[in-house]
Amino acid sequence: MKVFRKIATALSFFLAAVLITGTVIAFENVPQINDTLKVQTYRLEETADGDVKLADTLYYTSDFKTVGEVRANAIKVAEEVVVEGTVLLKNNNSTLPLAKGTKVSLVGAGAYDPVYGGTGSGGISGAAQMKYNESLAAAGLVINPTIETSYLSDEWKGYKRSSQGSYGNTRILINEVPWDVLNAAAGDSFKEYGDAAIMVVSRRGGEGYDLNCDCDGIDNNDGLGTDYLGLNQNELDILNGLKAMKAAGDIKKIIVVINFSSMIEGEFFADDAVDALIWAGAPGAGNNMFGKIITGEYNPSGRLPDTMWMDNAKNPTNVNFGWWTYPNAEELGVEMTVGKKNYPEITLGSYMVYQEGMYMGYRYTETRYEDLVLGTPNVGSFDYNDVVAYPFGHGLSYSDFEVSDATVTKTGDREYTVSVKVTNKATSKYAGKYSVPIWISKPYNDYAKKNGIQVPTVELI
């Protein structure tokens, strides 16, 4: 080991010397390098009065002088994204914001080990980022220390998210602390820190870490009986345990935070026992702002970027989700051996279908609802509230906004100017931002019907 360290140290010094020397040589020979690579850093231009001057050909110059300035600005942008992108889905009886000094019990392994980004090129190191418990404490909330200590202990490391297999060949596991273990560890502290219980539900997916598919009818998660877009049994037990405590008067409010870039099923949070629901996405380097949102220093102004289904089984696009085998794969010479060791159901002669059209998201749910209301033949029964938990574009605010004086003016052959007045009412206690979504409804005319053209009821433009 000592010999290895000596070699590694010597190699490091050698590489550093090469780098420094190479940099010096490069700077000393910039003109020759540019000439060889045919890179032009200036050109001669004739001015209006006939003189000739040197003109810089740099088409982009940085606003920053140092890498440190670049990083500081990147963090500032990330903070703005968190404030403007956090979506307040539900806020019964103005549960949020919470006053500073509020005593809260923070549960969920993701609260102490958040998902900051995706994977692959979407990944971000969490080493320098705030966890949810840290962000809430920094904003002035008092976190239940008994529960916090347990989640951060070595004993509970096994309850964190994990995965099986190597990159590109993974099965993601949710894990989470069983309710009986959490409740026993907490003791009477839930009651002492019962102004609110905040539960964080975290999920990760991305390049090389596809979300688990229950295509083969077996449990592709962690033995706890759910698919990745729903709560597993441990999470469900925690939520139900909190609801029971609220009913008993031990805790006053339940707030759920979804720390996931995609959509989880909403049926778990539908009843009034859950007082507030937040879709936080993946906060990146801006998670220090989360506590400031919860305490009202900043106002969430995001809108839901997807439809949140009550149950993903009610999403018609699911019929295309899975692995389908080419019936003539062997005839074409396509190898039919097992594809991935963690997914034995996949064969190399299989494929997945992407052919959803207007059956994707709000285009389907809004059109299906209109067809039902208008009495269109053969549409069957459709209860919008049983299918959609929260629609695309939904987002609440701490402010009370009013939208009025809408006008649409045709300003060209296919150009329209839309104008609205947005007012933050005098009754509001908070400054806020409001994005104005503009939708279009096209006629489903005889031409479209005759030629089989799908026309959604509404489209965001």
Side-chain angles (χ1 to χ4, degrees):
M1 181 62 72
K2 290 181 179 179
V3 173
F4 174 77
R5 285 176 180 167
K6 288 180 180 178
I7 294 173
T9 302
L11 182 60
S12 297
F13 280 123
F14 173 75
L15 292 175
V18 170
L19 180 61
I20 294 170
T21 304
T23 302
V24 172
I25 293 172
F27 275 116
E28 288 178 347
N29 295 275
V30 166
Q32 294 87 341
I33 294 172
N34 286 341
D35 184 59
T36 301
L37 298 177
K38 301 188 185 308
V39 175
Q40 191 175 11
T41 57
Y42 65 90
R43 65 174 178 270
L44 297 176
E45 287 186 351
E46 186 175 346
T47 62
D49 56 8
D51 289 337
V52 175
K53 68 173 184 177
L54 289 176
D56 194 345
T57 60
L58 290 175
Y59 56 87
Y60 176 79
T61 55
S62 176
D63 295 329
F64 310 103
K65 296 179 181 179
T66 66
V67 173
E69 289 183 4
V70 174
R71 288 180 60 84
N73 187 72
I75 292 173
K76 181 181 177 182
V77 171
E79 291 172 347
E80 291 175 357
V81 169
V82 168
V83 172
E84 297 190 4
T86 297
V87 184
L88 180 60
L89 295 173
K90 181 179 184 179
N91 195 23
N92 291 352
N93 302 314
S94 299
T95 293
L96 294 173
L98 298 177
K100 292 185 178 183
T102 299
K103 291 186 174 183
V104 300
S105 291
L106 182 62
V107 301
Y112 306 91
D113 180 33
V115 172
Y116 295 104
T119 59
S121 56
I124 176 174
S125 170
Q129 318 311 331
M130 270 196 176
K131 300 177 175 65
Y132 283 107
N133 59 315
E134 296 168 340
S135 185
L136 293 171
L141 298 184
V142 183
I143 308 297
N144 185 328
T146 303
I147 293 176
E148 182 179 47
T149 300
S150 296
Y151 269 107
L152 294 175
S153 68
D154 289 339
E155 185 182 356
W156 282 21
K157 278 185 178 179
Y159 297 129
K160 289 183 178 181
R161 293 180 315 280
S162 62
S163 62
Q164 296 174 345
S166 56
Y167 180 83
N169 184 24
T170 56
R171 181 159 293 174
I172 309 174
L173 307 180
I174 299 170
N175 301 320
E176 189 52 77
V177 182
W179 170 247
D180 58 346
V181 175
L182 172 60
N183 196 24
D188 294 331
S189 66
F190 268 118
K191 187 178 294 186
E192 183 181 354
Y193 292 84
D195 291 339
I198 301 177
M199 178 179 181
V200 177
V201 178
S202 296
R203 296 288 188 274
R204 183 179 70 161
E207 182 182 358
Y209 288 84
D210 289 344
L211 302 186
N212 296 333
C213 171
D214 195 19
C215 308
D216 55 350
I218 65 171
D219 175 31
N220 276 317
N221 199 353
D222 48 15
L224 297 172
T226 189
D227 65 74
Y228 199 67
L229 298 178
L231 298 187
N232 73 8
Q233 193 60 53
N234 283 352
E235 292 172 319
L236 189 59
D237 289 344
I238 289 175
L239 184 58
N240 288 335
L242 295 178
K243 289 179 180 179
M245 283 191 164
K246 181 185 175 185
D250 292 336
I251 56 177
K252 298 174 183 176
K253 303 173 182 178
I254 297 176
I255 301 160
V256 177
V257 179
I258 301 171
N259 169 215
F260 185 28
S261 295
S262 298
M263 286 298 112
I264 203 167
E265 292 178 331
E267 64 179 342
F268 308 100
F269 321 113
D271 63 53
D272 289 336
V274 175
D275 299 281
L277 179 64
I278 295 173
W279 181 80
N287 206 34
N288 58 308
M289 303 302 286
F290 183 78
K292 298 177 182 180
I293 293 172
I294 294 295
T295 54
E297 186 175 340
Y298 290 92
N299 197 341
S301 54
R303 291 182 178 274
L304 204 62
D306 286 300
T307 297
M308 179 183 283
W309 300 81
M310 290 290 283
D311 178 358
N312 285 324
K314 296 179 180 179
N315 184 340
T317 64
N318 274 341
V319 299
N320 283 341
F321 188 63
W323 292 287
W324 313 99
T325 303
Y326 289 105
N328 59 341
E330 293 187 30
E331 176 186 334
L332 295 174
V334 178
E335 189 177 357
M336 296 298 293
T337 55
V338 171
K340 297 183 177 183
K341 63 181 180 181
N342 285 330
Y343 292 92
E345 65 278 6
I346 309 177
T347 62
L348 297 183
S350 61
Y351 63 96
M352 186 176 284
V353 178
Y354 293 92
Q355 194 179 0
E356 286 79 21
M358 64 172 277
Y359 290 91
M360 177 72 78
Y362 78 86
R363 291 174 178 82
Y364 164 77
T365 58
E366 303 303 322
T367 305
R368 183 80 184 271
Y369 177 73
E370 183 188 60
D371 283 345
L372 184 71
V373 171
L374 295 180
T376 304
N378 303 318
V379 297
S381 61
F382 183 80
D383 188 327
Y384 190 93
N385 292 325
D386 282 347
V387 174
V388 179
Y390 293 100
F392 170 84
H394 175 75
L396 304 176
S397 170
Y398 298 153
S399 301
D400 188 10
F401 289 104
E402 179 181 56
V403 180
S404 61
D405 302 339
T407 62
V408 181
T409 306
K410 188 171 183 178
T411 54
D413 180 34
R414 295 190 179 188
E415 295 178 355
Y416 295 83
T417 298
V418 180
S419 174
V420 297
K421 180 180 179 181
V422 179
T423 306
N424 191 353
K425 294 181 180 180
T427 53
S428 290
K429 298 179 181 179
Y430 302 93
K433 296 182 179 181
Y434 184 93
S435 59
V436 180
I438 301 173
W439 306 79
I440 189 171
S441 182
K442 304 173 189 175
Y444 185 40
N445 54 27
D446 291 338
Y447 179 86
K449 295 175 183 177
K450 181 179 178 181
N451 291 279
I453 299 173
Q454 296 179 338
V455 182
T457 293
V458 292
E459 288 184 89
L460 180 71
I461 58 169

